[in-house]
Amino acid sequence: MAFPSKARTALAGLREDLAGEVFAPQDRGYDEARAVFNAMIDRRPAVIAQCANATDVVRAVRFARDLDLPIAVRGGGHSVAGSALGDGALVVDLRRMHEVTVDPAAEAVRIEGGATISRLDRATQPYGLATTGGRASTTGVGGFVLGGGTGWLDRAFGLAVDNLLGVELVTADAERVHANADENPELFWALHGGGGNFGVATALTLELHELPVFSIALLMYRPRFGPEAIRTFREIVLGGPDEAGGAVLYVTGPPEAFVPPELVGKLLCGLLLTYAGDEESMRKLAEPLLALPHEVEVAGAMPYADVQCMLDFPAGLRNYWSAEYLTGLPDALVDAFCARADGMPVPTGSQQILFPQGGAIASGPHEYPVPYRDAPWAAHPLGIWADPAEDEGAIAWVRGVCADVRPWSTGDVYLNFIGDEGPERVRAGLGEGNTLRLEKVKRRYDPDNVFRFNHNIRPI
């Protein structure tokens, strides 16, 4: 795009002032800088400011406001909706800001806005401490936490927002503010699920919990044993401690040494039992699952940060995700879920997942805008494929999974799990009773809706 004279002068000033780098469409490196995790997202920002510190963020926001540009915020760039980019926008790219500082005495950690889950987990692990992270190590901490935050440890330690102690934010007025229980408490409340609607989170502080050992059992079954495996897992979670969690996931058999060669590239029912504790206790819980005929067994104590990498998949593939939160997991739902797996795109990176909730999720604070807290289960189909010719089929499969389980849906949704599904789904992700309050906070901190490339809350 061609910049008018005022904009060219301002851009030159931004290049000079920033400690980080600035990319405009004509610059070498621009296309690399705008590439995000989901290859279906192809947007062309006016300017990308790769900020090195909070002062850079302030300067970048001020630049955008002077030129009346909307602002997108990039942390990990992992959002399936493509929240990190906006056509004609300024992108505040935080990836250079990734420092993680652990305070073991206070059992707290400060994470800069561009850090990934992997950086968080690798920093806390030497202290035998952890907090709820996502289920992929490449996810950005900022977007993950502010969107609610569900992961392998949520039944034991609560959602990520339940562990949020404070946020350092640059607002739409280019002002630096702190939000915690005592300082700007209404903004702090809104950041518990309201996402990036209120500013650029340059750093977050989270509570840590003791996690000296973590154990898993990863089992894979032929699809005909899927219904029995899911029902068995359901009973284990229902009767087990909060430390137990995991997922059921239909997958393509990966080309790993632990997968029999004849099953590589074939549909399998995977089951991951996670346990925030020792291997012996985990194995006792897993006994009914181990007794079922299975083709793959990986079980034992494993560093939590390593488990976080197990379901990583590379950037640059095409992604379409959705989710439904469920009132329960009756046998009829299990049967419908398993039947739909026969149509999952194989071989691809696609996954058809059921997560248990309950535990510390359900017993956590109910005042925050995370309405899915009380749902005992969640269904989460992820379409992940490479060939654009497969778009129609993959998207139809994702929508089919949701349609099959919708008779048991609570109507709530975790916004980090979905793309752009319209304003009604945004309200479902925030809670109807919370939406008006969030809109008032939005008016206070972003009355012009500058931060609009997200699951958007409109100012009123």
Side-chain angles (χ1 to χ4, degrees), residues 20-74:
E21 283 195 78
V22 176
F23 293 92
Q26 70 275 14
D27 294 335
R28 180 180 297 177
Y30 170 81
D31 284 331
E32 182 180 355
R34 73 182 181 92
V36 290
F37 175 81
N38 184 359
M40 296 185 79
I41 306 300
D42 183 18
R43 297 176 187 157
R44 298 189 65 81
V47 180
I48 300 170
Q50 294 187 336
C51 299
N53 50 49
T55 300
D56 274 2
V57 174
V58 170
R59 288 169 175 157
V61 171
R62 190 172 293 134
F63 165 87
R65 298 312 309 274
D66 287 346
L67 295 181
D68 197 26
L69 296 176
I71 301 172
V73 183
R74 178 172 188 155

Side-chain angles (χ1 to χ4, degrees), residues 45-379:
V47 180
I48 300 170
Q50 294 187 336
C51 299
N53 50 49
T55 300
D56 274 2
V57 174
V58 170
R59 288 169 175 157
V61 171
R62 190 172 293 134
F63 165 87
R65 298 312 309 274
D66 287 346
L67 295 181
D68 197 26
L69 296 176
I71 301 172
V73 183
R74 178 172 188 155
H78 203 278
S79 161
V80 68
S83 300
L85 298 178
D87 286 325
L90 168 84
V91 173
V92 176
D93 186 337
L94 301 174
R95 284 178 292 171
R96 293 170 180 241
M97 299 171 57
H98 51 65
E99 185 175 343
V100 178
T101 306
V102 180
D103 185 342
E107 295 193 337
V109 58
R110 180 182 180 273
I111 311 109
E112 288 191 324
T116 60
I117 294 291
S118 179
R119 285 186 178 273
L120 167 61
D121 295 335
R122 298 294 178 191
T124 61
Q125 189 163 276
Y127 301 97
L129 299 170
T131 193
T132 300
R135 295 179 177 90
S137 70
T138 53
T139 303
V141 175
F144 165 75
V145 172
L146 299 183
T150 170
W152 301 128
L153 293 175
D154 52 14
R155 281 177 44 83
F157 301 149
L159 298 170
V161 286
D162 299 343
N163 294 283
L164 185 61
L165 300 176
V167 181
E168 298 164 38
L169 199 76
V170 175
T171 69
D173 291 332
E175 297 293 331
R176 296 176 67 174
V177 302
H178 290 76
N180 55 40
D182 300 316
E183 192 174 1
N184 297 305
E186 187 69 359
L187 173 61
F188 189 55
W189 170 84
L191 293 168
H192 285 71
N197 273 282
F198 310 102
V200 184
T202 56
L204 304 91
T205 302
L206 298 174
E207 180 181 1
L208 295 173
H209 305 266
E210 293 185 7
L211 188 69
V213 63
F214 190 72
S215 306
I216 68 160
L218 173 64
L219 307 172
M220 290 189 181
Y221 305 85
R222 291 182 184 269
R224 68 177 179 272
F225 296 111
E228 187 176 1
I230 294 174
R231 293 184 181 107
T232 303
F233 180 63
R234 176 188 64 192
E235 300 310 310
I236 287 173
V237 172
L238 283 174
D242 292 353
E243 288 79 9
V248 176
L249 56 162
Y250 281 93
V251 297
T252 295
E256 300 287 351
F258 56 78
V259 177
E262 69 273 15
L263 296 180
V264 172
K266 305 296 184 183
L267 179 69
L268 293 173
C269 178
L271 200 147
L272 177 64
L273 175 66
T274 62
Y275 188 73
D278 63 274
E279 179 181 349
E280 182 179 358
S281 300
M282 180 276 295
R283 283 188 175 274
K284 187 169 183 178
L285 281 173
E287 283 175 358
L289 294 168
L290 294 166
L292 298 176
H294 54 279
E295 306 297 326
V296 171
E297 178 181 328
V298 178
M302 183 179 291
Y304 170 66
D306 291 350
V307 174
Q308 287 285 66
C309 302
M310 289 180 63
L311 296 181
D312 284 356
F313 30 86
L317 296 174
R318 302 176 77 77
N319 284 255
Y320 184 87
W321 310 349
S322 194
E324 294 290 339
Y325 278 71
L326 308 171
T327 58
L329 197 64
D331 288 348
L333 192 162
V334 172
D335 291 342
F337 184 83
C338 293
R340 177 61 66 171
D342 289 337
M344 192 180 87
V346 173
T348 66
S350 300
Q351 301 172 7
Q352 183 172 313
I353 308 178
L354 286 170
F355 295 120
Q357 293 219 119
I361 305 170
S363 63
H366 278 64
E367 66 267 24
Y368 298 135
V370 283
Y372 47 86
R373 183 184 294 279
D374 290 328
W377 288 87

